[in-house]
Amino acid sequence: MENQEKPSQETKEKWNQDPNNWIWGIFYYNKEDKRLMPPKRIPFMGWTVNFANRNSVFLFVFIMLLIILFIIFMIEFKK
């Protein structure tokens, strides 16, 4: 059985700064990183989705669906 240690803060920062983990410079894709919402390349700008993590993509789709449903509800409510 493999030793599943949590990566250090230094490793997480290294992953985040590695240009090979960014598709077109904007989409984060790192199979080793298990975080749902890793920080963006410029951390003070918030978080992003790790498109290599299935759970992260599901969370992103769920949030987008909630936003779309809220907009539809508000449009229908105004009628």
Side-chain angles (χ1 to χ4, degrees):
M1 189 162 106
E2 292 182 36
N3 186 5
Q4 294 289 333
E5 291 184 26
K6 287 186 177 184
S8 68
Q9 187 64 29
E10 182 180 311
T11 302
K12 291 177 187 177
E13 288 174 11
K14 184 178 134 195
W15 286 341
N16 199 37
Q17 297 305 318
D18 185 357
N20 294 323
N21 291 334
W22 293 90
I23 299 172
W24 298 328
I26 55 173
F27 299 109
Y28 186 69
Y29 190 90
N30 183 358
K31 291 182 180 182
E32 295 178 54
D33 193 349
K34 300 300 179 196
R35 296 177 289 179
L36 289 178
M37 302 294 287
K40 290 188 176 191
R41 285 184 104 165
I42 304 171
F44 73 84
M45 293 186 73
W47 297 274
T48 189
V49 176
N50 181 2
F51 286 95
N53 182 339
R54 185 180 345 163
N55 292 334
S56 183
V57 174
F58 286 147
L59 178 63
F60 173 71
V61 169
F62 178 73
I63 291 170
M64 288 294 109
L65 285 173
L66 283 178
I67 291 170
I68 291 168
L69 289 173
F70 178 74
I71 291 170
I72 291 171
F73 174 77
M74 293 307 291
I75 291 170
E76 290 297 320
F77 184 72
K78 281 190 163 188
K79 287 184 179 179

